[in-house]
Amino acid sequence: MCTVDKLLIKGIRSFSPDNMNVIEFYRPLTLIVGVNGAGKTTVIECLKQACTGVLPPHTRNGQSFIHDPRMANETDIKAQIRLRFLTSSKQPVVVLRSFQLIEKKTTQQFKTLDSTLQTEDPVTHVKQAVTYRCIDIDKMVPSLMGVSKAVLDNVIFVHQEESNWPLAEGKVLKDKFDDIFSATKYTKALETLRKMRLEKTQEIKEKRMALDHTRTHRNTAMKLQAEIQRAEEDILDGEEKICNLDQQIKEKDTALVALKETLHRQSLLMEERQIRSVRREELSKQAAAKLEALQ
């Protein structure tokens, strides 16, 4: 658990710019008592300002928060808040916030100077100081303390003029509780999750439709592949049949050639037979004529 250790206030409200009195906070409880105007509220305001960077209400943008230069007969006042606290791991951290109020002819100018965060190396115990912009240190200090800025602002170091916020109207109360418990972040996270769920649901639907189309195309492709395979088998069978028919054709051609040669020989024999028949008739006629002549 983080604990506040010491606080030094210079040039803030009734605290002198030369003040060197350090306020120590004791455990488990520290009571701050004093007459009106002694600076009790200022201590709480400085604790809140050092931790969160938030100025007290009704300070005219910080002008009435700094010690009045006219009361000190000065042209400007440099104020400082130095807070030392221990983190939950007992590591000491010092926050230094500096301000300046310049007295001009007709008005006063409030300035926030650089803020410094000083830490100590837990091994070598060497102090390290780094200067940050206000917006950076406003985030780092609550983080080191382990408490959200909303809790520091509205609960732990709440100003007495703002301490009645639990009795405020419903909307203000809801906003405060949302801020304290970071409900807005959870609400946004839930809304983001809902949007992501809708997007993913739509994406799943599209993917399922694409999957169905892919399955249909795959089934069609498998059917076409089977048909192609059957067609290739039919082609192979056809080619085999063609080869067989070609072989048969060759055999028939060979037989046809043999038949043509046989027919050619037969035709030659028929011609020779006719010739011999004619010759025989002539010889028969000649023989008959010779017989008649002999008689």
Side-chain angles (χ1 to χ4, degrees), residues 47-96:
L47 287 171
K48 180 177 179 179
Q49 214 290 327
C51 295
T52 65
V54 178
L55 290 170
H58 312 300
T59 56
R60 294 185 301 144
N61 296 325
Q63 294 180 12
S64 60
F65 184 58
I66 308 301
H67 192 79
D68 194 344
R70 291 172 293 186
M71 296 182 62
N73 294 323
E74 299 287 347
T75 57
D76 69 310
I77 292 292
K78 290 184 178 179
Q80 188 180 90
I81 302 174
R82 184 187 296 267
L83 172 66
R84 185 179 189 271
F85 63 90
L86 303 177
T87 64
S88 57
S89 59
K90 303 305 178 183
Q91 179 185 0
V93 178
V94 177
V95 182
L96 177 62

Side-chain angles (χ1 to χ4, degrees), residues 41 50 101 113 146 216 235:
T41 303
L101 184 63
L113 306 180
T216 303
I235 290 171

Side-chain angles (χ1 to χ4, degrees), residues 47 55 62 88 108 128 145 155 171 182 207 218 272 289:
L47 287 171
L55 290 170
S88 57
Q108 292 177 334
Q128 300 173 346
M145 298 183 78
V155 180
K171 185 179 182 306
S182 300
K207 295 295 183 182
R218 185 194 63 180
E272 186 177 356

Side-chain angles (χ1 to χ4, degrees), residues 192-255:
T192 303
L193 289 174
R194 290 192 189 98
K195 290 182 180 179
M196 290 179 62
R197 182 180 179 182
L198 291 175
E199 292 175 358
K200 293 301 179 182
T201 303
Q202 183 64 27
E203 186 176 349
I204 289 172
K205 290 181 180 178
E206 294 175 357
K207 295 295 183 182
R208 284 178 177 172
M209 291 178 63
L211 181 61
D212 292 338
H213 289 308
T214 304
R215 285 175 178 169
T216 303
H217 293 325
R218 185 194 63 180
N219 295 333
T220 304
M222 292 178 66
K223 290 180 181 178
L224 291 175
Q225 188 174 4
E227 292 178 0
I228 290 172
Q229 187 174 0
R230 288 194 297 270
E232 289 177 348
E233 292 175 354
D234 293 340
I235 290 171
L236 292 175
D237 293 339
E239 290 177 350
E240 186 176 357
K241 290 180 180 179
I242 289 171
C243 290
N244 294 332
L245 290 173
D246 287 340
Q247 184 66 27
Q248 292 177 7
I249 289 170
K250 287 181 181 179
E251 292 175 356
K252 297 298 182 183
D253 287 340
T254 302

Side-chain angles (χ1 to χ4, degrees), residues 162-181:
E162 298 176 339
S163 60
N164 290 329
W165 64 262
L167 303 177
E169 58 183 5
K171 185 179 182 306
V172 176
L173 192 61
K174 179 182 179 303
D175 292 341
K176 289 287 186 181
F177 276 113
D178 287 346
D179 196 15
I180 291 172
F181 295 105

Side-chain angles (χ1 to χ4, degrees), residues 29-33:
L29 179 64
T30 298
L31 296 177
I32 302 175
V33 296

